[in-house]
Structure formats: C-alpha cells, structure tokens
Amino acid sequence: MKLDSKIFVAGHNGLVGTAIKKALLSKGYQNLVLKTRSELDLSSTIKVEEFFQKEKPEYVFLAAAKVGGIIANNTYRADFIYENLMIQNNIIYSAYKNGVKKLLFLGSSCIYPKNAPQPIKEEYLLTDTLEYTNEPYAIAKIAGLKMCEAFNLQYGCNFISVMPTNLYGENDNFDLNTSHVLPALIRKFYEGKLNKSNSVEVWGSGNPRREFLHSSDMAQACIYIMENINFNDLINNSKEIRNTHINIGYGSDVSIKELATLIKNIVGFDGEIIYDKSKPDGTYQKLLDTSKLNSLGWKPKITLEKGVKEVFEWYINQKK
Ligand code: GDP
C-alpha cells in the first residue's frame, strides 16, 4: 500500500472501521474512500457494483457487518445471517471483478466450534458444532472467509481474512439490549454510580471467560497485514491451504467476574454486583491462539486496564 493508494474502508463508522480510518490517516494515507450507510447501501448488489466500477479502489478493508451481543445475535437470527452474507458477497465479488489489489475481510472468533480446545488455533475451524446463540452470524463469517480463500485459489486474488477476538473501543455500541459485555458494563456501572444504586446486574454466571482487544490495536494489526502480508505468505505459514485466515487477539483472557470487578473499580461504583443466571452464558471460553500473527511480526500494545480507562473517559465525554 502506498500513501496515495485508493483505499476503501467499508464500515468506517463502526467500532473497527473508525479505528482503521483513524490509524490510516495518522500514518499518512490520504486517499480514503468512505461512504455512509445512506450514501451506499452495501447490501445492494447493483449499488456496490456501480460504486466499485466508478471508484476503482485499490485496497479494501471489509469492516462493514451487522454485529451485536449475545441477545441480539440470538434474537435477530435472520437479519444477522442475511445482512452479513449480502454485504460480504457484494464487496468480495465486486473487489474481484474490479481488480482490487488486496482485500482484508474481518470475521470473528465465534466462527470456531463451541467446545474448541483453548487457545483456539486457526485449524480448529469446522471441526465441530458452533455455539447456537450466534450460529447465523458465525456461518455468514465462515462463508466470507471461505469465499476469500476460494477467490484466491481460483482467480489468484489476494484476499486475506482475519478473525478478531472480542473488540472494544471508542464508537462502540452502548445500547444495553444489543451491545457486547464490555460497553454494557461500563454503562451499567456508570449509571449505577450516578443513580447511587445498591447493585448492578451482570448477565449469566460470571464464569465465562473472554479475551478483549482494543479496536486501535486491531486497526494496527489490520494495517500491518495489509502492508506486509500476502495470501502466498499465508499458504507457506499455514499447515494447510484451507486454514489461511489469521487470528487477531490479545493473548490472554479474563472471566466476566474479573471484567466486572475491573470496570466497577475504574468507574468508581461502590455497590454490589448481582449475577442474573436467567440470562445466557454463551460459550464458556474463546481465547485465540495468536502465534501465527506473532510469527508474522505483530503484537498488541494496549492492556485491558488502560483500554477500559480510555473507553470510559471517551464514554463520559460523549455524555457531556
Ligand atoms: P459473546 O462473547 O458473543 O457471548 O457476547 P457478549 O459480549 O454479549 O457476552 C459475553 C458474556 O458476558 C456472556 O456470558 C454474557 O452473558 C456476559 N454478560 C454479562 N453481563 C452482560 C451485559 O450486560 N451485556 C452483555 N451483552 N453480556 C453480558
């Protein structure tokens, strides 16, 4: 990628897209193509094809997706599979037809089997049953990474798939019904503090473990891969052609209880934590094995504590 290369960041207003846009600009990339949802409907095949023909982007970060937490995934099952398949099919196919030099497809760690051995290696993909709460989303993401792989093998494209762990950061979704756990807990503890509540409710048993990566670390990893890695390097680096995707993670996880305590302390809430066991726990653990990415030369920098402090500050500044 050159500093004047034409780069399309699909989903630049989302959690990762925002961070990718910011990181690209701060590295001096000047030729970004950005379209809001009202300017370009990514689920429309015709509109996406017209956009690619007109703009001819050279590089594509495919960070657009319908995403959400455990309840949203389980409730809007049809929307999660349909919208994600449409967005990624349109962009990946148009990228192939219009000669995009390199595309980065962002997936998720939920593509792996529910009971995968930990930490999860890339080759555990499709070896067992998925977690049911987010199966529609996971199947769409698996289709996306297989589509990239198939276009690379059949048509010589250079489409790379990355599977991030749970991400958090600025511009996250703080809606309590649809958000992921980390922003939800920041909001719940903050509101608990403002309202002087005696307790805050945390879903599930608190025992599941999750790994969290800050979105600006994720953006750095994405740009590093776009700048330095090609599909052929991944064939050489992977044990088999079928698992050439790359995990992007922090490298260690915490229990939801540990996360809740950390956030409670950072926010300064001094009431009690109550675990609502009527809400689902989801997968017990999904810690990614990041040795492939590490061997390709990239490591994260932002600790969970520092990251949560930053996001909390961002959140309260938004409220002012
Ligand atoms: P997941 O990683 O796909 O399961 O998605 P989430 O981030 O939504 O949930 C992770 C874990 O945090 C699950 O065990 C949830 O039950 C738990 N959790 C605890 N409190 C909350 C909350 O307020 N919101 C969400 N979304 N999850 C919570």
Side-chain angles (χ1 to χ4, degrees):
M1 254 180 354
K2 301 200 199 88
L3 292 181
D4 62 353
S5 298
K6 198 168 205 182
I7 304 171
F8 174 39
V9 183
H12 71 280
N13 283 325
L15 175 63
V16 193
T18 305
I20 291 175
K21 182 183 96 179
K22 200 168 153 185
L24 283 170
L25 290 172
S26 78
K27 281 174 180 274
Y29 290 99
Q30 312 132 7
N31 197 0
L32 307 191
V33 191
L34 307 169
K35 294 281 171 194
T36 62
R37 198 166 293 202
S38 58
E39 288 167 335
L40 176 62
D41 175 4
L42 295 172
S43 62
S44 160
T45 307
I46 293 175
K47 294 209 171 106
V48 171
E49 180 54 23
E50 277 171 5
F51 163 78
F52 272 81
Q53 276 177 18
K54 180 164 170 265
E55 293 288 348
K56 294 278 178 202
E58 296 170 85
Y59 294 89
V60 175
F61 288 83
L62 207 180
K66 180 172 179 64
V67 298
I70 191 163
I71 301 280
N73 267 276
N74 202 17
T75 312
Y76 309 110
R77 301 180 74 86
D79 300 346
F80 271 84
I81 189 160
Y82 175 74
E83 286 181 35
N84 284 305
L85 283 173
M86 289 302 286
I87 294 170
Q88 69 203 34
N89 279 352
N90 290 338
I91 296 180
I92 296 169
Y93 188 64
S94 288
Y96 150 65
K97 275 187 58 183
N98 292 281
V100 163
K101 291 181 182 153
K102 207 190 282 192
L103 174 146
L104 194 78
F105 172 66
L106 276 77
S108 156
S109 61
C110 71
I111 60 160
Y112 292 112
K114 179 181 172 75
N115 297 317
Q118 308 287 320
I120 309 171
K121 293 184 192 297
E122 284 84 355
E123 65 251 35
Y124 298 165
L125 179 68
L126 293 174
T127 54
D128 204 345
T129 317
L130 298 168
E131 156 63 31
Y132 194 70
T133 50
N134 55 28
E135 194 184 65
Y137 175 76
I139 286 181
K141 291 294 183 185
I142 294 171
L145 87 84
K146 285 294 169 190
M147 187 150 158
C148 290
E149 181 188 288
F151 274 77
N152 292 341
L153 295 175
Q154 186 178 343
Y155 294 121
C157 297
N158 195 7
F159 297 167
I160 296 174
S161 299
V162 291
M163 299 299 132
T165 188
N166 302 269
L167 301 170
Y168 67 99
E170 291 175 13
N171 261 30
D172 210 339
N173 170 14
F174 287 83
D175 176 319
L176 294 181
N177 293 314
T178 56
S179 66
H180 281 106
V181 60
L182 194 149
L185 294 188
I186 290 183
R187 176 168 175 181
K188 284 182 179 176
F189 285 117
Y190 182 59
E191 289 179 355
K193 178 179 164 181
L194 292 185
N195 301 331
K196 302 191 169 48
S197 312
N198 293 327
S199 62
V200 157
E201 208 173 77
V202 173
W203 296 352
S205 63
N207 296 327
R209 302 186 68 81
R210 293 289 183 272
E211 178 189 18
F212 297 97
L213 183 73
H214 195 285
S215 57
S216 50
D217 263 342
M218 173 65 190
Q220 294 298 335
C222 290
I223 296 170
Y224 178 83
I225 292 168
M226 283 293 250
E227 287 175 337
N228 298 294
I229 314 292
N230 293 308
F231 180 64
N232 284 340
D233 305 325
L234 296 170
I235 294 185
N236 300 334
N237 192 291
S238 305
K239 288 191 186 123
E240 323 150 291
I241 287 181
R242 64 189 310 150
N243 289 311
T244 48
H245 56 283
I246 311 169
N247 288 341
I248 305 187
Y250 181 68
S252 61
D253 59 6
V254 292
S255 69
I256 297 300
K257 257 181 209 155
E258 287 165 331
L259 178 75
T261 310
L262 177 79
I263 297 178
K264 176 182 175 228
N265 292 338
I266 288 172
V267 172
F269 172 74
D270 44 18
E272 221 190 313
I273 300 177
I274 293 180
Y275 291 92
D276 175 2
K277 294 194 179 142
S278 70
K279 294 285 195 312
D281 268 346
T283 305
Y284 173 65
Q285 189 181 24
K286 39 183 178 175
L287 174 62
L288 293 179
D289 183 316
T290 50
S291 42
K292 189 194 272 188
L293 180 61
N294 298 344
S295 73
L296 292 166
W298 190 87
K299 285 211 167 84
K301 293 202 176 80
I302 306 171
T303 62
L304 184 59
E305 187 173 355
K306 181 166 181 275
V308 169
K309 280 184 185 153
E310 270 179 31
V311 177
F312 176 52
E313 269 166 39
W314 180 88
Y315 179 69
I316 46 180
N317 282 332
Q318 294 298 105
K319 303 250 131 206
K320 281 179 190 157

